[in-house]
Amino acid sequence: MSREGDSKQLQAQYRGGCRVENMESADRADDIPNEIPAEAYVLEETEQKSFPENPRRAIPDEQPLTDLSPDRRVELLSEMVTVYADRLATAEVLESLEEITGESRDMLEYDIQVIRMLSDPDVLYSMYDVGDTNLARFIEEWREADGFYQRATSLGRGVNINAGHNVSTVVVPEIWRVLSGNAVLHKMPSSDQVTLRVLHDVYAEYDNPVANTCRISYWPGGSEDLEENLFASDYVLAWGDDPTIDAIRSRLAPTTKFVPFHFEFGTYLVDAETQHDYDRELLQRIAADFSWGDQLLCFSPLVMVIEDTDATTDFLTDLATVLEEYEAEYKMGAVPDKERMGITRSKKTARDYGNLISDWENKTTIVQRDGLERSDISEFHSFRYIQAHRVDSLEKSLDEVGHVRNLQEFILATSEESRQELREQILETNAKRIVSPGGAPPTLPIPWDGKHAVNELVRWVTDEYHHEQG
């Protein structure tokens, strides 16, 4: 290797182009945006205030929360999340949320039940578990592992680009950042400026490290100057479709930790044995998986791959009956006109070719297709719509669906023998989860969307001194 040049030039050779003058994060530390949109604001008590000249200063200091023990974080959080669920459940807020989110009252009440479940101290503490490791222990003190001492501490101050239209999804990143000891600036989506405002109002009634390390804000999407300033903070957690995630990633400082949640979906696999031996409970579990959130959530199954047998039509017909009955107890939300027209066209085509399984007048839909090709994966509908692909081999179908990078999980309605065989092949796909019918929503302490998010929001420090001395 040539060693001509000064230290900076040599660093570039050894570090792939990284030199001292490439430390962009340091250069951006006091970078002031040229323009902050007039619509942008930060909530303070009951008022909307303008961002400071350096917008990143709107993010609170994390130290009061970092100094708090994991047990105390859970205790405070449990109380306030319970109050938050109570406020969401009031008639006035529910009415606003129905209008804003398009979710039915049944759907909203289910989401609030999820929040109440999340407020349980045992559930909250379980989020510290990462496999056999309890993260809380490493937050509390240095712990020895393989001759090293390790400690987990907060990342610091960050930004959360919030998902809209689902009240339980809004509270989850708030739980993560509290457990990991970070301060946050939450961005409200333009389409829902109610849900996080309710959380702001709850926190305003408390004076403690959890409430004081959270601020709620809004700015229009695409505010590049403002976002480049904010995205030079210690971390950014973001929810959105792939173009949104790409846009955020392009504005991050190089040293900012990024935890993205992009568009994902699930795929159902149904084997021959299941179709010959099933009961109503199984069908109800499948119906629930295809109904929760009207198939708009990251874990929602959008595709069913079913082994073709002489029992397939009967199985799908029974499932269509249960799916429609489930809609009566868990009402569907508002269906956009464009989507409704698309579903109607697809149903008509399926009926004309003898592939419509559900009754034409049903609110829910099941259609069948022969075979599965890669192009089929991008052709789907939400709102309780099951597109069942009849295939000769579930194993071969993994080649068609498993390559999709947006795949989150496989839901296996199969025998135990088939599950064991499929599990090994699923390892070669992009899926992060394997679940049973009824298990599409993440079950704590299993990671959310395949991520141990609390673990991703801490910084690990290793003390190698004792190992070196040994």
Side-chain angles (χ1 to χ4, degrees), residues 217-271:
S217 65
Y218 168 74
W219 66 86
S223 305
E224 293 188 20
D225 279 2
L226 175 60
E227 290 183 344
E228 285 191 0
N229 175 280
L230 292 173
F231 295 171
S233 56
D234 297 312
Y235 75 91
V236 172
L237 189 149
W239 309 68
D241 56 18
D242 289 356
T244 298
I245 296 300
D246 282 345
I248 293 170
R249 197 188 304 274
S250 70
R251 293 171 194 150
L252 292 172
T255 54
T256 296
K257 177 68 178 288
F258 187 38
V259 184
F261 288 83
H262 54 79
F263 167 74
E264 292 183 321
F265 69 97
T267 298
Y268 244 93
L269 301 180
V270 185
D271 70 358

Side-chain angles (χ1 to χ4, degrees), residues 345-359:
R345 285 194 298 269
S346 296
K347 286 174 64 174
K348 186 177 186 304
T349 300
R351 184 182 61 181
D352 291 347
Y353 285 90
N355 290 325
L356 179 63
I357 300 293
S358 53
D359 292 339

Side-chain angles (χ1 to χ4, degrees), residues 116-182:
R116 295 193 191 283
M117 179 271 291
L118 291 171
S119 70
D120 183 283
D122 291 337
V123 172
L124 289 171
Y125 197 81
S126 73
M127 294 190 195
Y128 281 121
D129 292 327
V130 183
D132 294 332
T133 300
N134 182 265
L135 183 61
R137 297 174 184 171
F138 288 86
I139 292 174
E140 291 175 325
E141 61 181 356
W142 291 94
R143 297 185 68 85
E144 185 178 3
D146 298 325
F148 297 95
Y149 282 85
Q150 293 181 313
R151 189 81 185 267
T153 187
S154 69
L155 292 176
R157 301 161 62 240
V159 177
N160 177 49
I161 309 299
N162 234 296
H165 299 281
N166 186 277
V167 294
S168 59
T169 303
V170 165
V171 77
V172 167
E174 172 61 13
I175 290 172
W176 292 337
R177 75 91 193 170
V178 172
L179 295 179
S180 53
N182 294 299

Side-chain angles (χ1 to χ4, degrees), residues 85-102:
D86 292 340
R87 298 289 172 81
L88 291 174
T90 61
E92 180 181 359
V93 174
L94 281 173
E95 186 175 340
S96 295
L97 290 173
E98 280 187 273
E99 181 178 352
I100 290 169
T101 68

